[in-house]
Amino acid sequence: MSMKKKIFTVGSGSWGTALAAVLADNKQDVLLYGRNSQEIDDINRNHHNSRYFNDLTLPSNLTATNDLSQCCDYDIIMLAVPSTVCVQTAAAIDKLLHKPAIFINAAKGFHPETFCRLSEMITETVSKEHLSAYFALSGPSFAEEVIQKQITTVNIVGKKQNIALELQKMFSNDYFRVYRNNDLIGCEYAAGLKNVIAIASGIINGLGLHDNAKASLITRGLSEISRYGLAHGAEMSTFMGLCGMGDLILTCSSFTSRNFQAGYIIGKNNSAAAFYEQNRQTVEGVEACKIIYRKSVAEKIEMPITAAVYQVLFENKRPSDIINSLMHRDLKYEIY
């Protein structure tokens, strides 16, 4: 039997809507919060979120609100907002709560000012009397496929495994399968750093390189992501799993990924200039690259692909020249 608790999902964008629809399919008591009153009306009246999913019909038992104060009536708060606003959203919710809640963060990335992992920031922001447990939901999952009930597997990541087991049951069904993991450090670094490698993957495609190069990039990209994570207390098994290898393969292999799209434009033009001129959306890997490159240099962690993407994004280097220099690095024994 699935756990029967009330879930307040914050964020009526594509990912929040998709996750709320999974819970509604599982007959959970879920309320979806969003700020856009047209989206809320569309969900409640038409069972659509047309802005993101056109005329796809949502579960009839999925309801929505633009009243954030309703969060105080719920047992679980799920954050499905951009990583850039996760902490301020958590702070706003903390002021409204009057009892402990389980927090689940479904965003990926780092805090835009402190560059800390989101779990560090959110658990410091939400007062102890309002936070009964913290989890991340992460793995290879495009919202567009989840909402279409395409088979998807993810991880629920946190320390309290008795609660994790209940959450696992609450989310899992015929098309959405959840595994447990307790390595928040590895999960969050894998989720943030994979976007840098996805930009590199798009660049490769844009330049006209093919599958051999892509396989090499994903493999060596995973090597440096795990190297960075292990240096910061992560577990190697996380990088071999859904949060690591799984999410990396997905993000590096599909035009659905904004980071891949960004890299593709850069590769096509053999320069980042056109991307900066055209781009109107958040591409998480750009900021992550700046943060992690500088940290890796300071901490003497070798990350050649991240360094190469940094040179293209922030030093006006031509991707074709950078790839050539990578291919002529000193020959060595492969290490992981």
Side-chain angles (χ1 to χ4, degrees), residues 89-150:
T89 303
I93 291 168
D94 183 51
K95 291 176 183 175
L96 296 167
L97 292 176
H98 52 65
K99 64 177 182 178
I102 298 166
F103 275 70
I104 301 173
N105 177 35
K108 300 172 182 177
F110 304 103
H111 186 262
E113 294 166 10
T114 65
F115 310 138
C116 291
R117 293 180 290 111
L118 292 177
S119 65
E120 296 175 292
M121 297 299 298
I122 294 170
T123 54
E124 287 178 10
T125 300
V126 179
S127 54
K128 287 183 173 59
E129 61 268 26
H130 294 157
L131 183 66
S132 61
Y134 178 92
F135 292 89
L137 187 76
S138 190
S141 48
F142 287 140
E144 295 82 354
E145 294 191 18
V146 173
I147 203 77
Q148 294 169 7
K149 303 185 182 182
Q150 297 286 330

Side-chain angles (χ1 to χ4, degrees), residues 265-311:
I265 293 168
I266 292 167
K268 274 286 186 186
N269 292 278
N270 203 19
S271 163
F275 160 70
Y276 284 124
E277 288 170 10
Q278 298 171 24
N279 185 57
R280 297 291 180 271
Q281 59 184 356
T282 300
V283 178
E284 298 90 342
V286 173
E287 193 62 29
C289 182
K290 183 191 296 183
I291 297 164
I292 298 301
Y293 169 72
R294 291 174 180 176
K295 285 190 170 185
S296 68
V297 171
E299 296 169 14
K300 296 182 169 55
I301 301 171
E302 188 179 21
M303 301 184 74
I305 298 170
T306 301
V309 174
Y310 181 90
Q311 290 176 304

Side-chain angles (χ1 to χ4, degrees), residues 116-186:
C116 291
R117 293 180 290 111
L118 292 177
S119 65
E120 296 175 292
M121 297 299 298
I122 294 170
T123 54
E124 287 178 10
T125 300
V126 179
S127 54
K128 287 183 173 59
E129 61 268 26
H130 294 157
L131 183 66
S132 61
Y134 178 92
F135 292 89
L137 187 76
S138 190
S141 48
F142 287 140
E144 295 82 354
E145 294 191 18
V146 173
I147 203 77
Q148 294 169 7
K149 303 185 182 182
Q150 297 286 330
I151 286 177
T152 302
T153 57
V154 299
N155 276 343
I156 190 79
V157 189
K159 296 301 181 187
K160 296 187 177 181
Q161 288 299 293
N162 58 326
I163 299 175
L165 178 59
E166 293 181 319
L167 296 173
Q168 181 182 35
K169 293 175 181 176
M170 189 178 76
F171 276 95
S172 293
N173 58 29
D174 290 345
Y175 64 89
F176 198 80
R177 180 176 172 84
V178 180
Y179 290 85
R180 298 189 307 281
N181 187 307
N182 64 8
D183 179 17
L184 272 171
I185 297 172

